[in-house]
Amino acid sequence: MGEEIVGRERELEALERFLSMVPHGACGLVLAGEPGIGKSMVWQAALPLAKQRGYRVATSRLAGSEATLTYAALGDLLADVADELAVALPDPQRRALDIALLRAEGSGRGADRRAVSTATLGALKLLAAERPLVLAVDDVQWIDGASASALSFALRRLTTERVGVLATLRDAGGLHDPIAIEGCLGPRAERIVVDALGVDSIAKIVRMWTGAELSRPTLVRVHEATLGNPLFAREIVRALRRDGLDLLPGEPLPAPDDLEGLLHARLRRLPARTRNALLLAAATTRPTVHVLRAATPSAQADLLGPAEDADVVRVRGDEVSFTHPLLASTVYRRATSARRRDAHGRLADAVDDPEERARHLALAAAEPAADVADALEDAAHGASGRGAPATAAELAELARRMTPGDDVEASRRRAMKAAEYRFVSGDAVAALALAGELLEVAPPGPGRAEIGYLISVFSWNDVTRLRPVLDAVVADLEEPSALLASAIADLGWVEILGGDLRAASAKAREAIELAEGLDDPGPLSLGLVTAAYAEYMLGRDVAGLLERALDLQLDPEGPAAVSYSLVSARNTLGALLMWSGDLDRARSELEAHAQHLVERGQYLPLWEGFIYLSELETRAGNFSKALEHAEELLETMMEGGYEQARETGLWVRALALAHLGIADRSRGDAIEGLSLAERHGDVFHVITNRSVLGFLELSLSHPEGAERWLSPLPELLSSRGIVEQGIYPFPPDLVEALVGMGDLDRAGSVLEPFEQHASELARAPALAASARCRGLMAAANGDFDRATTSITTSIEMHAGMGQPFELARSQLALGDVRRRAKQKRSAREALETAVRMFDDLGASLWAAKARRSLARISGRSAPHDLTATERQIAGLVATGLTNREVADALFVSVRTVESNLSRVYSKLGIASRRELRAEMLEPEGSR
């Protein structure tokens, strides 16, 4: 194990637990603590232990200067196996990883963060399949954002794979684990806080590291002064050795306010030429002997020898590393600004990587310089192409700061590009802040309109904010332009979300007409897609609009090109196919759109695709997959600070959770989503979140609760001109709730327009649901023959649609009708089929409903399961008394009658007073 570990029994036990877990599935251990507390020593001790067990160990030891170097940590971890992976990985993953690790040149498009993330996941799976793999990251807080994103993506998807992550984390203000190891691995990850050592352990370490023997009083004082921090203690004792080991009474310890002062005192004793070399090493992200010599005039052979002797750096071949990250930061912080600039200037001439060279040029410059700004802008573009938009944003912002003050246009262009990079990388807050700063100082006119439009792109789905922003953009533009056409098209989208669909169509058509004469196809695409979306909801044929939009060749680097990702022809086509009932084609289109975004590095715009993919998988009965998409959507929004569209993610997650029977979480998500949608003026998602809440109440056999959530929605659809029934499939739920309440007249008034539009538009899923509703209404009227015919038709129609949950609902309805018609054998067959189907889907609430119905065939769960109060109230209601009459007879409130009656309905699996009379008044043997 190398150097003895002192006073860390608890931490070593945690290491043993962790290493024992690795062969049984993905796991993690985070060693957290303050600087110098000994985290890295414990971490280092684990590496040989893992190798002794036959594990593969991949390491990365990080420094603060590396936090901005794209995929630095990922390169550390995978560099030794890159050739091995190149043979085993599929070509797209291999290509993405090669570009990220600088093993191949990007094509301009390159591999974005998500593409590299997918490749990283594939790489870890391949490596772990051969033997257990330990990823060991020291000082994880310094990991670069691109590597953290890729590793986080992979860890969230590892389960049984034999991968363990061991990391140290500096516990200091403002620092965190960018990978979120504990969040990714959940209960399979453990955090151990590496605490201060006791005085006896400090004494042992002092003797071991320095050879010094201190008196007990001095040791106690050292322990008190350092709070048990071994690195602090070692540095203080080294200072004491120079002046005598024991202190006179009342003599202060030679301890400055912080460790940096101690480390600086240690570094100051090194020769000047060595300190100069150390500054170069601290200033660069990947110090090597070759780079240091190239950057050092009249380089001597033994530049770093004294630093090695003083245990400041280690040299292994060509690689140079500081023995502790604080040493590198101390070297850099204590240098004058002039010396830092000189170091960066020499490094700019010594390094080959254009991104790093651009950084050095910027940090070497004392004032703005056009050539430096140009180099940084080029480096930003390169970083974006490599799939690191966050790094691209930082470079673009640095380019803006290095732009000479008289070049206003270049400064604005670089700032806007930085905002776009921030947005697509997943930081909507920073993007909006930067664009907002530009808007404040922009004079009226096209320039201000361009900034305002960018802000609008960053602001979906907040209709209350979007409308005035886009109105201001239009007001700033006097001449026809691509920007004007885009803004008018987006105002059409505002109407889709929160206004009138007829107005939306008119805006979209206006944008199309304006865009027809322009060279830029982007605004024409926006207009065509907006018109297709709005007019589909109005029940019109939009195939021609979408075909034309799909044929357009868009410039991915054009102004505000991110808007084409948000309003995508392919994504819209996928959504419309889903709502029409063609789930397989819809999935193909939606996944193709997502892949396109991945290739372009458009990370945050993936959120809209995740909405449709989640909704699609719920419709397809793949509830866990739907939940996974919803979680990714919400995670993307959370990471990006994109609260203004959160109601969309909450809706689809609530929908998946409701189908899985996870009622409390579903209700909480949908209520929060509804609140956000109302705040944002997003009527579209007011409807979707209310629909989930109504469906959930129906799933819980609470028809009155379902009716309360759903009853306002038909009027909302009618007032907005919505004819297409596939988008909001709540009417069958409302019909079923109203039938359950015995309100057949209202049920018919809801079903009639739904059924009519479904027939006019030939929407098979809606027609199948309508047939089931007709059957439920017929059964409530006692016409079991007609009910059986209608529901059988529904089953036949649903059978070929790939929507198994709806098929199971119709199967349950058929079983209920047959049971009530005293057709016990056929009822049992239908209900057993329904139970099996719901169980296979994981729809626990509906499986329970089917089981209750199945149990009642032989009277096994008849009134005997009711409480005395429930039985008394049910008996009176069955005689024909109203709720008020029952309440008066029993001296209770009407609410008490209603709540007990609701429980009776749920327990007996019935939905009307007619069914209750049959249950309570028929002889036992006749059921």
Side-chain angles (χ1 to χ4, degrees), residues 57-69:
V57 178
T59 62
S60 179
R61 302 198 73 168
L62 304 167
S65 60
E66 296 172 6
T68 56
L69 185 61

Side-chain angles (χ1 to χ4, degrees), residues 15 134 268 379 422 427 429 488 542 544 555 597 604 649 673 758 765 809:
L15 285 181
V134 171
R268 197 169 50 225
R422 285 290 184 197
D427 193 349
V429 173
I488 292 172
V542 300
D555 179 8
L597 293 182
L604 193 52
R809 281 182 69 171

